Amino acid sequence: MSNFPVFEPASPQAEAIRDLFVQVLWISGGIFAIVAGLICVALWKFRAAGDLPEQDFGSHRKEIAWIVAPVIVVLWIAAISAKLVLTFNAVPQAHPPGEQVADLIVTGHQWWWEVEYAGTGIVSANEIHIPVGKRLRVQLSSADVIHSFWVARLARKMDAIPGRENFIWLQADAAGVYQGRCAEFCGTQHAWMNFLVHAHEPEDYEKWLAREKIVPPAPTDSKAIAGRRTFLSLTCSQCHAIAGTGADRSIAPDLTHIASRSELAAGVLVNSPQNLRRWLKDPAAFKPGCKMPDFKLTDQQLDDLVAYLETLK
Ligand code: CUA
């Protein structure tokens, strides 16, 4: 993974953004070189003390030239930027209220992303799966404060604002995993509001979709059965949803397929049974300010919960 994902675009939109950036960089670099160069020339030429250059006042031609030239440059940059924004405008045409227009509905929360796959019933968190080569419309909003959704290699940056719907296109040219970030300061754990975009070949995407639609069967192992009971009887089920259990709140990440996700807590930890246990034992140790409190679970409860959650593939 490069440190400069912006320079490694993996979609037509990201490529156009990179090209615009490079063009503006050249223009500003050129202006900087001219201005800095002239300053250096003046410093060198008139370096002797008391050696003043010839003074020149009230030249209309020169004044007009240095007003018109920057205006042309600024208008040019505005025009190429506006063209790009309009080319990739994802705002849908007027649609009846309540009608589904987006392929993905993403909601920012402090500090995780809720991802809903329109028309499929699938809800997940901090992970987005898309088929390669298909342009998907993403509807963005927020459940609390302003966040900003950004997958540098795939799309433009877009704010997720409470009470408002914003739209962007999301598309990947090649299969792979792309890093996503929250790009707007949204509280103490803003830096841990990461997500991953998995782009699959179309047939692999269909397989993922089919798997994701399956409601995980009730556990059969005694530890996992106890864990399921713990999940439903404690506060967990007041915030989290797990399909097939009756727990359906969306205050916190949907856990229906948590065991198949690769990260925990929006990128803080790699998803493993050990890390899941550490996370449940003391969330604030990994993510201070996180909304999930330390429930002072006993070792037994922790073991049971982990055993249950690991069955949710
Ligand atoms: Cu959400 Cu920063």
Side-chain angles (χ1 to χ4, degrees), residues 109 111 113 145-148 182-187 189-191 193:
H109 294 255
W111 291 277
W113 298 93
V145 301
I146 299 176
H147 304 274
S148 185
C182 177
E184 174 104 23
F185 183 73
C186 55
Q189 293 301 319
H190 154 71
M193 197 169 155

Side-chain angles (χ1 to χ4, degrees), residues 33 158 288 311:
M158 181 60 84
T311 69

